[in-house]
Amino acid sequence: MFKSFGRGQRVSATTVEHPALKVKPRHIGIIMDGNGRWARKRGLPRVAGHHAGMTAMRETIRACDDFGIECVTLYAFSTENWKRPISEVEYLMRLPEQFFRNEIEELVSRGVRVRFLGDTSQLPPYTQETVRNSLLRTEGNTGMTVNFALNYGGRNELMCAIERYAREIADGKASVGDLTEADFDRYLDTAGLPALDLVIRTSGEIRLSNFLIWQAAYAELWFTDVLWPDFSRDDLFQAISDYGRRKRRFGAVE
Ligand code: FPP
């Protein structure tokens, strides 16, 4: 059934048993890029690309769960994305509402726990309501964690973490000189999550764009020319099996 795994071949949900998935990332971060170009190629408005991107996101969450991934972080809206035309920003801000309305039951039945990274207090009230509801609906779940990075920027996350740490020092709860890299984790939005193992970016761009910059320090990076709305279960399988073939040395020697 699993003789070759070239691009375009369908990979079934049972692939979780597949030998190529033996060594798999615990935590995958995805920069979902190329929605606008996907739409332009079809003569559609940019927002049509975001809508198609939302479908690809749903399929990717399903596939991550089927492949036994513990945690996936999706870069949905960056602190820099506010610079886009207001109509596009408004459309993007409405997508979570639409997404969770359609998907929450399946997420709950899969035992998925939803989290948000980034400053959600700056989102429009209706988006904040969706954030609150999806957190509440999934808070007791113990399956895969899905993080939506929404109004997220890695530098902003680090600044906030430093501020939290500074406040603890001011309150006498932490002291200067004691902080280790492992301790610093608890001030980050990703506190308590498995270390980031693999970053996937679509659309041929080869940069991190302020995504999980602390966490990505030792992550493996995987880039593809595929535009995000076309990203499939097969592409994810390729990324994960490629990860399984990498030698991770973390600066040491073999
Ligand atoms: C980047 O492509 C994509 C985004 C800024 C938005 C990604 C959002 C989704 C896929 C859906 C999110 C949905 C929820 C529910 C959180 P781009 O627009 O920069 O593409 P381009 O580089 O081709 O213009």
Side-chain angles (χ1 to χ4, degrees):
M1 186 177 175
F2 298 117
K3 278 189 188 131
S4 79
F5 309 98
R7 247 191 78 74
Q9 181 163 351
R10 282 226 56 75
V11 179
S12 92
T14 54
T15 322
V16 72
E17 304 290 345
H18 191 274
L21 299 178
K22 235 185 192 121
V23 180
K24 61 190 169 205
R26 293 181 67 195
H27 184 171
I28 302 178
I30 308 184
I31 305 177
M32 309 181 287
D33 197 8
N35 294 351
R37 275 162 285 169
W38 182 93
R40 196 172 58 230
K41 269 172 64 180
R42 287 162 179 77
L44 297 169
R46 289 180 56 79
V47 294
H50 295 314
H51 193 270
M54 182 171 64
T55 305
M57 191 178 79
R58 180 193 66 202
E59 294 306 312
T60 302
I61 293 171
R62 284 180 177 162
C64 282
D65 193 32
D66 293 341
F67 292 161
I69 302 304
E70 287 173 51
C71 182
V72 58
T73 300
L74 301 154
Y75 205 8
F77 192 89
S78 76
T79 45
E80 288 74 34
N81 286 154
W82 298 106
K83 295 177 202 156
R84 294 182 175 217
I86 183 75
S87 56
E88 183 172 340
V89 169
E90 275 174 10
Y91 187 88
L92 285 166
M93 287 298 142
R94 287 277 174 196
L95 279 186
E97 203 179 1
Q98 204 182 126
F99 178 77
F100 285 106
R101 192 184 324 115
N102 295 332
E103 307 305 331
I104 193 71
E105 296 309 332
E106 180 176 341
L107 293 173
V108 169
S109 73
R110 282 177 179 268
V112 164
R113 175 153 192 206
V114 168
R115 273 175 68 158
F116 291 86
L117 313 182
D119 183 1
T120 55
S121 72
Q122 300 305 310
L123 302 174
Y126 49 85
T127 318
Q128 286 191 46
E129 199 188 328
T130 299
V131 166
R132 272 193 304 275
N133 290 342
S134 51
L135 286 172
L136 273 173
R137 280 297 305 277
T138 64
E139 68 183 348
N141 291 350
T142 54
M144 180 174 72
T145 300
V146 179
N147 302 309
F148 295 89
L150 210 50
N151 191 24
Y152 173 87
R155 287 181 178 175
N156 181 259
E157 181 191 26
L158 288 174
M159 301 273 288
C160 293
I162 290 162
E163 220 168 286
R164 285 178 202 129
Y165 174 54
R167 206 162 298 132
E168 286 195 4
I169 293 173
D171 295 346
K173 291 180 188 152
S175 42
V176 177
D178 286 351
L179 189 69
T180 65
E181 287 184 12
D183 291 336
F184 191 62
D185 178 75
R186 67 192 170 91
Y187 301 104
L188 295 166
D189 293 358
T190 51
L193 296 174
L196 183 69
D197 292 317
L198 172 65
V199 174
I200 295 173
R201 183 172 190 152
T202 56
S203 91
E205 306 294 346
I206 303 180
R207 54 178 173 268
L208 284 178
S209 299
N210 207 10
F211 182 57
L212 299 174
I213 50 179
W214 170 276
Q215 297 85 342
Y218 270 103
E220 297 297 321
L221 309 179
W222 194 84
F223 299 100
T224 173
D225 287 340
V226 170
L227 302 175
W228 176 251
D230 292 328
F231 188 81
S232 67
R233 179 176 284 253
D234 298 349
D235 294 313
L236 181 70
F237 181 84
Q238 297 301 327
I240 296 174
S241 36
D242 188 45
Y243 170 88
R245 291 190 292 271
R246 305 255 181 116
K247 294 257 178 296
R248 301 187 80 194
R249 297 195 305 271
F250 299 97
V253 286
E254 268 182 82

